[in-house]
Amino acid sequence: MTLSDGLVLRPARPEDLERIGALLADRGEPEDAVDHRLVVEDPDAGWEACAVVVDGDLVVSTATLLDETLVLGGLGIPAGQVELVATDRRYEGRGAVRALMGWAHERAAARGHLVNIMLGIPYFYRQFGYTYAVPYAATRDVTGTPTGAGHTLREATAADIPVLARFQDAEQAPFDLRMPHSAPLWRWLVERGGSTGWLVERDGVPVASGRTTPPEEGVRLAEVAAVDEAAAHALLALTGATEVTERPGTVAGAALEPFLAPAKAEANSYYVRVPDPVALLEHLRPVFGARLAASARFAGEEGEAVVSFYRSHVRMPFAGGEVGPVAVGGTMQAPGAAGGAGVAPDMVASLLFGPHGIEGLTARQPDVYPGPDEELMRTLFPPVRSDVLTFYLP
């Protein structure tokens, strides 16, 4: 695709590897070039996962789309994450990233992604339809050091991936929304140099795992997972971390809490984009049905939930704890009069995946309200506790 000023957007090719790597290293970290190679040379991702903007033979901008899976209430949601974005300084402001984001979103749609989730610099990606919806876990200073006696620490390898995945699955189980590492991403993590995966062993048996940033960045411990308190203590003690990304509600999180300073008051969140709210709501019908079935009032009730996005609206019939097909309608500026809720379109991601639910959003957003049947809307759209694992640590 030729852009307006003669630049060309095209799929990346093997012969671009060194030029893409040089661009990523120049605009980010040297390890970014290694990360890119791991992705495009892996058959589960491949070169088709990456695109570039070129000026002749010069690669001036690049982006990569990763396949992810969000899990809400036990239901998998196909998702995509844009990563490894970089632009040559001389070509900034010429629409290269906008074109690459368009490519990424088209590719995501073709791959069946219902959600886009990503890390990114402040504000920038809001220009492309993203909103802040899923909060980061806070990173907190270490104020004390527990004992690691009786345990050993070693760097994780590819052979340890099943154990690492099992630990993370156990730690993520209590959360309403989770995003685990995909199988390819686990392979990339144990091979990359931008972070280090660790295993703690007791009598030769793995009992804890985590991931740390390089020493030159200050050792931050994240993705903490442990089978018991002593294992979590050993993980902190033996990695020598000076900061920890908290994990409330987990075995490791509770064990490390006494050794951490209070969290800073920061509103940091993942960017989330919902390209087609109707398609996502249709996909989530089993989740809504399970929420109704678990409710004393709605388990056996029959009715209809109306949600207006103002310029359009949806109707979701329900009966016996099951939700029927989502029906789409036109403009509905006053949904309360139709017995429905009003949700601004850019609040859909927060409504479905955020920590406030419709009740909390109503208290924060003038154009979100539950309508006359507040209990129904609170049942369908409760606060969501999340735990998201990404290639790069937020």
Side-chain angles (χ1 to χ4, degrees):
M1 179 177 72
T2 301
L3 308 185
S4 58
D5 56 359
L7 302 178
V8 175
L9 186 154
R10 60 167 174 77
R13 304 166 183 161
E15 57 265 30
D16 298 321
L17 182 64
E18 290 188 8
R19 286 172 288 188
I20 294 173
L23 175 60
L24 290 168
D26 179 61
R27 297 311 314 267
E29 303 292 338
E31 292 81 3
D32 294 347
V34 176
D35 295 340
H36 173 262
R37 178 183 59 77
L38 290 170
V39 173
V40 296
E41 292 185 350
D42 190 304
D44 281 343
W47 280 97
E48 61 270 23
C50 178
V52 293
V53 173
V54 297
D55 185 2
D57 292 331
L58 180 65
V59 173
V60 301
S61 192
T62 186
T64 297
L65 178 70
L66 305 179
D67 293 320
E68 303 283 6
T69 301
L70 286 166
V71 181
L72 179 66
L75 178 70
I77 307 168
Q81 181 179 186
V82 180
E83 272 294 1
L84 295 165
V85 181
T87 300
D88 188 308
R89 291 177 179 82
R90 296 167 295 177
Y91 288 82
E92 290 180 334
R94 293 173 62 175
V97 172
R98 182 172 295 278
L100 285 166
M101 293 302 292
W103 162 83
H105 294 158
E106 289 179 10
R107 176 173 169 78
R111 295 185 69 77
H113 298 167
L114 297 175
V115 179
N116 302 113
I117 184 168
M118 68 179 297
L119 300 164
I121 59 177
Y123 173 70
F124 186 76
Y125 292 95
R126 293 175 68 178
Q127 302 174 87
F128 311 120
Y130 289 79
T131 58
Y132 292 114
V134 177
Y136 296 166
T139 293
R140 299 163 61 182
D141 291 338
V142 174
T143 57
T145 304
T147 179
H151 298 79
T152 58
L153 180 74
R154 65 174 176 84
E155 189 170 338
T157 69
D160 298 312
I161 289 176
V163 174
L164 297 172
R166 175 166 53 84
F167 281 171
Q168 293 303 327
D169 286 345
E171 294 294 272
Q172 288 196 310
F175 293 90
D176 307 307
L177 176 73
R178 60 188 177 89
M179 190 169 86
H181 289 316
S182 66
L185 201 149
W186 275 119
R187 294 196 295 270
W188 308 333
L189 287 178
V190 297
E191 293 186 46
R192 70 186 299 261
S195 63
T196 303
W198 299 101
L199 269 180
V200 172
E201 295 180 332
R202 182 192 302 149
D203 299 325
V205 178
V207 291
S209 68
R211 184 153 67 113
T212 60
T213 54
E216 60 269 20
E217 296 179 16
V219 179
R220 176 158 63 97
L221 175 63
E223 299 182 8
V224 294
V227 301
D228 55 30
E229 182 179 88
H233 288 175
L235 179 65
L236 177 57
L238 297 176
T239 57
T242 57
E243 295 179 318
V244 172
T245 299
E246 67 176 6
R247 215 166 192 184
T250 68
V251 171
L256 298 186
E257 178 64 29
F259 304 96
L260 306 180
K264 297 177 182 178
E266 296 178 331
N268 293 320
S269 295
Y270 294 96
Y271 282 113
V272 180
R273 173 179 175 267
V274 178
D276 186 343
V278 175
L280 180 56
L281 291 171
E282 178 70 22
H283 184 79
L284 292 177
R285 282 168 48 198
V287 174
F288 298 139
R291 290 171 178 172
L292 293 173
S295 164
R297 174 185 164 186
F298 298 109
E301 189 169 320
E302 181 176 338
E304 182 181 65
V306 178
V307 181
S308 173
F309 310 123
Y310 300 108
R311 291 187 176 180
S312 66
H313 73 279
V314 295
R315 295 178 180 272
M316 299 190 294
F318 60 88
E322 294 187 0
V323 175
V326 177
V328 184
T331 299
M332 182 181 283
Q333 195 63 41
V343 179
D346 60 349
M347 288 290 106
V348 171
S350 295
L351 176 73
L352 297 175
F353 304 129
H356 304 301
I358 195 165
E359 185 174 20
L361 289 177
T362 298
R364 293 166 172 80
Q365 300 292 336
D367 46 14
V368 176
Y369 60 92
D373 198 339
E374 295 185 22
E375 186 178 354
L376 173 61
M377 294 303 167
R378 288 197 301 267
T379 300
L380 290 172
F381 306 114
V384 171
R385 292 181 64 248
S386 58
D387 190 82
V388 173
L389 303 182
T390 49
F391 195 169
Y392 294 101
L393 296 173

